[in-house]
């Protein structure tokens, strides 16, 4: 999706170091100091406009949440949401997930969320999918054992690919839903895309996968 360029966004991000890190490699091994406590840290890779990460922060005040997003024009909306509520347990990283190991020490994170990631449907682009083996290796490294990935999508192809990729990698599944909004899951926090797609009647797929300790 093409995003409207916002030339002022980068400066605003830099002006709010309390809530957003634009140089996350400098925080490697020190993320608890960013939050000022030793609570567990969960990250959302591809946080978009921040609706999910903000909702999770409200729902779970004893957990620290980091929303990772690459594009200034998108993450700025997430920052605005955080500034409005001033939740101390929700912060942002402007960063590329492919460099995850540059930002976190092994075991520094306790859970990864992947919500409505780009499906990259062409086979030649499979390595760009956030559930490709190369990304799973990165998540396994930064996650405290036994680490979990919580995944949601409306794309059946990506869901099936991810199930196969994670299973082949040796992960196991604590929960798999082929129609989330018709399941008995309570306290589901929806993303912007999830609201949009569910209103159109699209099926939402969800799973919780865990690495073997």
């Amino acid at each position: 999706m093409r995003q409207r360029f916002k030339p002022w966004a980068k400066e605003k991000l830099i002006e709010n170091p309390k809530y957003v890190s634009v140089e996350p490699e400098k925080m490697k091994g020190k993320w608890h100091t960013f939050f000022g406590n030793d609570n567990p840290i969960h990250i959302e890779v591809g946080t978009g406009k921040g609706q999910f990460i903000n909702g999770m922060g409200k729902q779970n005040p004893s957990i620290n949440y980091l929303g990772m997003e690459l594009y200034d024009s998108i993450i700025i909306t997430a920052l605005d949401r955080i500034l409005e509520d001033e939740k101390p347990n929700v912060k942002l990283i402007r960063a590329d997930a492919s460099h995850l190991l540059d930002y976190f020490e092994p075991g520094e994170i306790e859970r990864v969320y992947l919500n409505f990631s780009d499906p990259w449907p062409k086979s030649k682009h499979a390595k760009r999918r956030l559930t490709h083996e190369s990304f799973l290796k990165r998540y396994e490294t930064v996650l405290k054992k036994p680490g979990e990935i919580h995944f949601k999508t409306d794309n059946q192809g990506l869901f099936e690919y991810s199930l196969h990729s994670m299973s082949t990698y040796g992960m196991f599944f604590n929960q798999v839903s082929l129609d989330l909004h018709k399941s008995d899951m309570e306290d589901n926090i929806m993303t912007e895309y999830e609201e949009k797609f569910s209103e159109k009647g699209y099926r939402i797929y969800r799973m919780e996968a865990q690495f073997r300790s």
Side-chain angles (χ1 to χ4, degrees), residues 11 32 40-41 62 64 66 69 79 89 94 103 118 125-126 139 156 167 173 175 178-179 202:
E11 182 176 353
H32 283 295
I41 299 175
S62 62
N64 296 324
L66 278 171
E69 180 59 52
L79 175 60
N89 65 324
R94 190 195 65 195
Y103 313 141
D118 193 327
H125 293 150
Y139 306 144
Q156 183 178 350
S167 178
F173 303 99
Q175 186 179 87
L178 301 180
D179 197 343
Y202 294 2

Side-chain angles (χ1 to χ4, degrees), residues 97-101 125-142 149 161 165-166 169 211:
S98 63
H99 300 295
L100 201 67
L101 300 184
H125 293 150
K127 289 185 178 180
R128 300 182 185 181
R129 298 170 190 160
L130 293 181
T131 51
H132 184 270
E133 177 187 3
S134 60
F135 280 100
L136 297 181
K137 288 180 178 179
R138 295 180 178 103
Y139 306 144
E140 184 179 25
T141 298
V142 302
I149 296 176
Y161 169 87
S165 178
M166 292 178 181
Y169 193 81
F211 292 98

Side-chain angles (χ1 to χ4, degrees), residues 116-117 119 121 129 151-164 177-178 197 202-207:
F116 298 87
S117 309
R129 298 170 190 160
F151 174 91
K152 287 196 286 189
T153 184
D154 68 305
N155 188 288
Q156 183 178 350
L158 179 61
F159 189 71
E160 293 173 351
Y161 169 87
S162 300
L163 285 171
H164 181 266
S177 175
L178 301 180
F197 294 146
Y202 294 2
R203 181 180 296 189
I204 305 300
Y205 303 88
R206 182 182 184 275
M207 64 173 150

Side-chain angles (χ1 to χ4, degrees), residues 100-114:
L100 201 67
L101 300 184
D102 294 332
Y103 313 141
F104 301 101
E105 290 286 357
E108 196 168 9
I109 303 301
E110 294 203 15
R111 182 176 295 169
V112 170
Y113 293 95
L114 302 174

Side-chain angles (χ1 to χ4, degrees), residues 171-189:
M171 301 178 71
F172 63 93
F173 303 99
N174 295 321
Q175 186 179 87
V176 175
S177 175
L178 301 180
D179 197 343
L180 174 60
H181 293 179
K182 290 185 179 180
S183 72
D184 57 358
M185 180 181 177
E186 299 179 357
D187 301 324
N188 176 50
I189 301 295

